[in-house]
């Protein structure tokens, strides 16, 4: 097939949208499909080819460390020149909205992938009646742009329920893959991993970690609730606008609970590839904090590494974590419940190991090749449906 991917985010920006687009491109190319990517122009020098696929950059403006693509006519010109069989639109909001509108004018089949719950983020940043009104306005925009797509794919049952509750038409479930060969327990035997572990836990502390973007909507400040857990140390991997404030908050919480310098939280910054796999492998427990996640890719990566997981009982994590099987879900509205669920894991190393083993068993078959084969099935269906509609 010829597939055009219009994405709100792409390299060098690293987030869930970028990661999934990169894996989809890699697998489509491996299958022999022709692909083109349309993405925002970056402020950094970056190649205009990824995995043998041309990347067309369109004008953008910086917003909170993101390059937000502008809805220019260039998008339609690229689509018309490439003549795709299907247009895949990743997390449409601004650039993606123009991509869907352009595809509609060109009579091209479209698949939209819902990945970012912008309405929930708006509600978090603006509490009270004003926030509720802003979230309702955001949902009206989401409903409108997804209504232009032949099919909208949701990454989790919670996201699918939200879309249907908001009357978004033609929806289906499509999850995410995980690279279980990169993220795996054998990294614990690696010399560099062991050296990092000795550095982070010089007195044999248990390491409790988070991996992901450091921004208000990720609610990483919830980790402060774990500051008084005995014989533990917090480890945070990632970067974002909240990094400095988060480091100060967590350090203050730990100092107030113990005053022991060796327990000061460690912010490792962004890590990728093998270094990211090593960071996961150093941990004893992975904690996911955000309550507005449509999926929770880092949970899958932690599970693939053999880690027990504690995550909120809300949104995408509900599909990924089962109490007592591969971790525990905490009530985000109940103060102290995150600490209680983390303690259930940390107080019993044998139980933690069992949770980790079961977690890896659950995710290791969720390869990106299998997930993209399923995605290609959705592509084929919207193409067939569009042809049938024309024939009728």
């Amino acid at each position: 097939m010829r597939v055009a991917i219009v994405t709100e985010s792409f390299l060098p920006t690293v987030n869930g949208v970028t990661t999934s687009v990169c894996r989809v491109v890699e697998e489509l190319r491996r299958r022999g499909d022709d692909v083109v990517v349309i993405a925002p122009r970056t402020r950094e020098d970056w190649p205009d080819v990824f995995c043998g696929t041309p990347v067309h950059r369109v004008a953008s403006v910086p917003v909170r460390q993101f390059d937000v693509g502008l809805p220019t006519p260039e998008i339609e010109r690229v689509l018309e020149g490439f003549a795709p069989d299907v247009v895949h639109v990743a997390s449409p909001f601004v650039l993606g909205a123009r991509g869907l509108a352009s595809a509609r004018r060109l009579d091209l089949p479209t698949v939209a992938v819902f990945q970012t719950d912008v309405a929930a983020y708006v509600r978090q940043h603006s509490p009270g009646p004003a926030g509720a009104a802003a979230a309702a306005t955001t949902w009206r925009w989401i409903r409108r742009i997804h209504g232009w797509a032949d099919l909208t794919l949701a990454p989790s049952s919670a996201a699918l329920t939200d879309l249907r509750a908001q009357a978004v038409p033609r929806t289906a479930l499509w999850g995410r893959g995980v690279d279980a060969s990169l993220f795996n327990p054998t990294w614990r035997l690696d010399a560099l991993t062991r050296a990092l572990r000795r550095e982070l836990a010089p007195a044999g502390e248990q390491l409790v970690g988070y991996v992901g973007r450091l921004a208000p909507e990720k609610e990483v400040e919830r980790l402060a609730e774990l500051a008084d857990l005995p014989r533990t140390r917090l480890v945070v991997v990632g970067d974002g606008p909240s990094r400095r404030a988060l480091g100060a908050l967590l350090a203050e919480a730990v100092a107030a609970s113990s005053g022991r310098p060796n327990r000061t939280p460690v912010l490792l910054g962004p890590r990728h590839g093998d270094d990211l796999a090593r960071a996961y492998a150093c941990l004893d427990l992975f904690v996911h904090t955000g309550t507005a996640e449509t999926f929770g890719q880092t949970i899958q990566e932690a599970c693939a590494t053999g880690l027990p997981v504690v995550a909120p009982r809300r949104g995408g994590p509900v599909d990924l974590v089962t109490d007592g099987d591969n971790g525990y879900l905490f009530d985000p509205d109940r103060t102290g419940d995150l600490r209680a669920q983390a303690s259930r894991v940390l107080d019993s190393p044998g139980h933690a190991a069992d949770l980790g083993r079961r977690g890896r068993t659950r995710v290791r078959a969720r390869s990106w090749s299998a997930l993209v084969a399923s995605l290609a099935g959705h592509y084929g269906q919207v193409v067939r449906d569009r042809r049938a509609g024309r024939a009728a």
Side-chain angles (χ1 to χ4, degrees), residues 9 19 62 85 136 151-152 154 170 210 237 271 281 293 321 343 349 362:
S9 176
T19 298
D85 297 303
L151 177 66
T152 288
R170 302 177 299 281
Y210 165 90
V237 180
R271 298 208 167 193
E293 299 294 328
V321 179
S343 296
R362 283 177 61 157

Side-chain angles (χ1 to χ4, degrees), residues 130-144:
T137 299
T138 304
W139 266 118
R140 284 195 292 274
W141 176 242
I142 292 171
R143 182 164 52 247
R144 180 182 181 187

Side-chain angles (χ1 to χ4, degrees), residues 76-354:
E76 189 164 332
R77 289 196 294 269
V78 174
L79 292 177
E80 190 170 22
F82 184 66
D85 297 303
V86 64
V87 178
H88 170 138
V89 186
S91 196
F93 200 74
V94 180
L95 186 67
R98 182 59 184 257
L100 284 167
S102 297
R104 195 179 187 192
R105 283 192 292 271
L106 295 170
D107 197 24
L108 297 171
T110 52
V111 172
V113 179
F114 180 74
Q115 289 182 251
T116 307
D117 191 347
V118 180
Y121 291 172
V122 168
R123 185 68 184 266
Q124 285 179 336
H125 290 299
S126 305
T137 299
T138 304
W139 266 118
R140 284 195 292 274
W141 176 242
I142 292 171
R143 182 164 52 247
R144 180 182 181 187
I145 59 179
H146 280 273
W148 297 335
D150 292 297
L151 177 66
T152 288
L153 298 176
S156 65
S157 59
L160 187 63
T161 298
D162 287 344
L163 289 170
R164 290 176 174 172
Q166 294 293 331
V168 174
R170 302 177 299 281
T171 55
L173 188 65
W174 178 66
R176 298 292 179 272
V178 64
D179 187 348
S181 61
L182 173 60
F183 302 105
N184 71 80
T186 62
W187 280 107
R188 292 176 189 149
L189 305 176
D190 175 76
L192 292 177
T193 303
R194 293 162 72 180
L196 179 60
R197 171 84 192 196
R198 287 193 298 270
E199 178 186 344
L200 297 175
E205 296 90 348
Q206 291 180 290
L207 299 179
V208 179
Y210 165 90
V211 176
R213 180 167 164 78
L214 307 183
E217 62 269 15
K218 299 300 183 181
E219 303 174 72
V220 191
E221 65 276 4
R222 289 180 183 273
L223 291 177
E225 192 173 307
L226 307 179
D228 62 343
L229 285 174
R231 300 178 301 280
T232 63
R233 193 176 199 183
L234 295 172
V235 178
V236 176
V237 180
D239 202 358
S242 297
R243 180 175 177 173
R244 182 175 296 180
L246 176 68
L249 172 68
L250 296 182
E252 182 180 350
V254 170
S257 67
S258 71
R260 291 161 55 187
N262 66 319
R263 290 193 59 208
T264 301
V266 180
L267 274 66
L268 290 178
R271 298 208 167 193
H272 309 288
D274 290 355
D275 287 339
L276 177 58
R278 290 186 180 99
Y280 276 114
C282 284
L283 303 177
D284 296 290
L285 170 65
F286 180 80
V287 176
H288 189 81
T289 54
T291 59
E293 299 294 328
T294 58
F295 188 69
Q297 180 64 11
T298 56
I299 293 175
Q300 287 203 134
E301 293 170 354
C303 287
T305 309
L307 292 174
V309 175
V310 171
R313 192 182 299 277
R314 190 171 296 167
V318 174
D319 286 358
L320 301 175
V321 179
T322 302
D323 281 331
D325 181 65
N326 63 329
Y328 291 96
L329 295 167
F330 70 90
D331 183 349
D333 297 324
R334 182 180 168 193
T335 301
D337 199 40
L338 169 56
R339 185 185 189 284
Q341 301 309 324
S343 296
R344 295 178 75 178
V345 179
L346 296 170
D347 290 347
S348 176
H351 180 47
D354 288 341

Side-chain angles (χ1 to χ4, degrees), residues 30-79:
R30 192 170 289 124
R31 290 164 48 90
D33 297 313
D34 291 328
V35 187
V36 66
V37 173
I38 302 172
R41 186 167 296 130
T42 176
R43 286 162 285 176
E44 302 175 38
D45 262 346
W46 202 259
D48 57 3
V49 174
F50 171 76
C51 193
T53 294
V55 179
H56 289 268
R57 300 284 185 172
V58 301
S60 67
V61 294
V63 178
R64 290 187 67 231
Q65 297 188 344
F66 280 106
D67 293 308
V68 177
L70 299 177
T72 69
E74 187 179 356
I75 300 168
E76 189 164 332
R77 289 196 294 269
V78 174
L79 292 177

